[in-house]
Amino acid sequence: MKLSLAGKPILIVEDNPVIRKSIRDMLYSLNADTITEADNGVAAINAMAKTTFEIVLCDYNLGPGKNGQQVLEEARHRKLIDYRSIFILISSEQSTSAVLGAMDSKPDEYLTKPFNAQQLISRLSRHFARRDYLGGIEKAMAKGDLAQAIRQCDALLERGDVKMRLHLSKMRAELAIAAGDFESARRIYLEVLQHRDLPWARLGLGIIDLQNNNIEQAIAGFQSLVAENPMLMEGYDWLTRAYEALDRHQEVEQVLQQALELSPQSILRQKKFAETADKNGNLEAAEKAYKAALKLGKHSVHRSCSDYAGLAKLYAKTNAGEEALKTLNEMRQEYANQPEAELRAATLEADLFRAQGDDEAAQQALDKALDLCGRLGGKAPRELQLEVARACFLNQQHDKAEAILHGLIQNHIDDEQFLNNLRAMQSGVGMHNYSEIQIQKTRQALIATNNKGVALYKQGKFKEALDLFEQAIATMPENKTIILNMLKIIIHDLKANPADADKERRARLLLKKARQLGVEQHKLGVLQMEFGKLHRPAAAKA
């Protein structure tokens, strides 16, 4: 049966009008009747913001401005495309770095110029068949309903479709990891590897080792994987995470450098490499990477004023004060009227002016930073708040530093890596163990709150337990432990009292907040599973 695109909204993103017409004619031959065109990346994003397209055909090289990879990254970041859409990235580039850069963004399909109608039909047909087959799983995953996604995946596996078994096994193992069911995931990966040596199965075993804190074993697995599959960019990313878990920053830098040599267009890796090389004292490499991140960020959804601030801080370290101030001025122009950018600039200026002996200008900059920090409150990135506290210590304003650190410690008392960063900052300004008493008191208070809340819950005093955790969240709105424990109590309460719309709404909000705060998926997955199962009986009855 001939593929028909009638009624399917389609977007063509191509800067060359001749090629755009050629693609349009191919689509018309397939009965397409709803075609939108864009000749640059910004126009493409604007079109996707207005219409949900089933098919996006996007060229990689779009001339000045965003490239196709950046269009795809922004569309995903802003949720302008979903599991029903197919995003086909088209490129005439043949170099390894260009192809890897394009594939790094994981388009649904990839086409090399020149291509013909039959090649396009092949990609579209393959995707639509896959979407129709896996639609139930992907819809449940998009809704965050792991329980339903797993049920759907198991049902398809039971059908015994030989052609789809490997793909379904991969999805099922990934769902098991997301749900924190590492044993099931390991069993699936090992079963696959008995028949074929597939990189994704080996990668999955390494991820499980890392999540189970078998870090050295994970490192060995990832090292072997990238050595045998040097184009598998995910392998470098997971090896980086494993080294980070052991604070082996020199190895992190080396792995990132290897990855960037293969795929230099990844802005997130450039950022990470810049920060790591800076931390390791490799300032020349850090400067180059910061500049690369700034260049890539010009048209990227991942652009950030922190890249300018990082470069300016690097110049300050090398006593290039004028270069640092120049970089901060560029940041102000690029991020005009953005409080975070102004806060970063003012905080660093307090350091620069103090180093130059201009105490009055340093104090004015610090006063400005403190005012901005107060206005931003918890919206200011925590590492930036640490920088402000550091500037306060250096300018002998310990009480103001303590006020900032108090909030940071309360919210992040369960994040040992951040607490180590806080300790390192204090040691760097000669304030060794300055906040240690507060850290220990806050940790004890958190344990006491948790214990009391759990005890109230076990006594059947659900309302009192929830009230206690609500009070704790009011004072520690970003504390992951409090959020997770409150979620557990609400979900357990919903099992006994399922028809409580307010508690369901609260659970959804807490799940969303936990995701935003970066709670590990395997910890959150168990709760997502339990929450998803609450709706199964009602859904089955309906």
Side-chain angles (χ1 to χ4, degrees), residues 41-42 45 48 65-80 105 265-268 271 293-307 334-335 338 340:
V42 172
I45 292 295
M48 283 188 271
K66 294 180 184 295
N67 60 34
Q69 179 179 341
Q70 292 167 332
V71 170
L72 175 54
E73 287 174 348
E74 183 163 349
R76 281 210 184 110
H77 184 78
R78 293 175 55 183
K79 295 181 170 55
L80 304 180
S105 55
Q265 299 302 307
S266 170
I267 182 174
L268 297 180
K271 286 169 178 275
L294 289 174
K295 185 177 178 181
L296 290 168
K298 194 166 184 65
H299 304 291
S300 171
V301 71
H302 299 302
R303 70 196 292 266
S304 170
C305 57
S306 64
D307 301 323
E334 193 71 25
Y335 295 88
Q338 292 196 22
E340 182 187 326

Side-chain angles (χ1 to χ4, degrees), residues 270-504:
Q270 288 285 9
K271 286 169 178 275
K272 196 169 195 65
F273 180 77
E275 293 164 3
T276 307
D278 194 351
K279 188 182 295 184
N280 289 339
N282 188 355
L283 301 187
E284 185 178 344
E287 180 182 358
K288 183 179 177 182
Y290 277 127
K291 288 180 176 177
L294 289 174
K295 185 177 178 181
L296 290 168
K298 194 166 184 65
H299 304 291
S300 171
V301 71
H302 299 302
R303 70 196 292 266
S304 170
C305 57
S306 64
D307 301 323
Y308 279 97
L311 181 59
K313 280 190 280 186
L314 184 145
Y315 285 138
K317 286 181 186 178
T318 58
N319 297 317
E322 292 306 314
E323 282 296 317
L325 291 170
K326 179 184 173 184
T327 303
L328 293 179
N329 285 333
E330 290 172 2
M331 177 175 71
R332 283 191 167 105
Q333 291 172 14
E334 193 71 25
Y335 295 88
N337 302 317
Q338 292 196 22
E340 182 187 326
E342 192 56 48
L343 175 55
R344 289 186 184 279
T347 305
L348 188 51
E349 282 172 342
D351 266 4
L352 289 166
F353 292 139
R354 189 180 60 82
Q356 293 171 0
D358 191 341
D359 293 340
E360 184 179 346
Q363 187 58 56
Q364 288 176 354
L366 181 57
D367 289 343
K368 185 176 183 179
L370 286 167
D371 178 57
L372 285 163
C373 194
R375 280 192 275 158
L376 279 170
K379 293 180 181 178
R382 62 186 189 179
E383 47 84 16
L384 179 52
Q385 293 183 59
L386 270 188
E387 288 291 322
V388 179
R390 176 181 174 277
C392 290
F393 279 131
L394 289 172
N395 286 274
Q396 306 304 313
Q397 297 192 26
H398 294 188
D399 56 334
K400 291 177 179 175
E402 286 175 12
I404 294 169
L405 294 177
H406 177 75
L408 288 171
I409 290 169
Q410 275 202 315
N411 272 312
H412 306 292
I413 192 64
D414 48 3
D415 189 334
E416 196 61 34
Q417 182 59 58
F418 177 73
L419 293 179
N420 286 337
N421 292 341
L422 186 151
R423 293 178 178 114
M425 178 276 287
Q426 291 181 336
S427 296
V429 294
M431 309 293 292
H432 305 283
N433 299 322
Y434 186 85
S435 294
E436 208 56 42
I437 292 175
Q438 186 186 349
I439 288 172
Q440 296 309 321
K441 282 184 177 179
T442 305
R443 186 169 280 148
Q444 290 165 9
L446 177 64
I447 292 169
T449 298
N450 279 328
N451 290 345
K452 185 176 180 181
V454 171
L456 286 168
Y457 177 77
K458 288 180 177 178
Q459 293 166 22
K461 299 178 180 178
F462 302 131
K463 185 178 183 306
E464 290 89 338
L466 287 175
D467 286 345
L468 179 70
F469 281 120
E470 285 285 12
Q471 291 169 18
I473 281 181
T475 57
M476 297 180 279
E478 295 181 18
N479 188 282
K480 297 174 186 176
T481 302
I482 293 291
I483 290 170
L484 286 175
N485 280 336
M486 188 167 180
L487 259 172
K488 289 174 187 175
I489 288 178
I490 291 177
I491 289 170
H492 287 171
D493 192 22
L494 281 168
K495 288 177 181 177
N497 306 286
D500 192 323
D502 286 340
K503 284 197 178 72
E504 280 195 19

Side-chain angles (χ1 to χ4, degrees), residues 101-120:
M103 298 308 294
D104 219 359
S105 55
K106 293 185 173 60
D108 296 303
E109 297 287 349
Y110 182 75
L111 268 172
T112 304
K113 288 181 180 177
F115 62 92
N116 56 38
Q118 190 52 51
Q119 289 171 306
L120 177 59

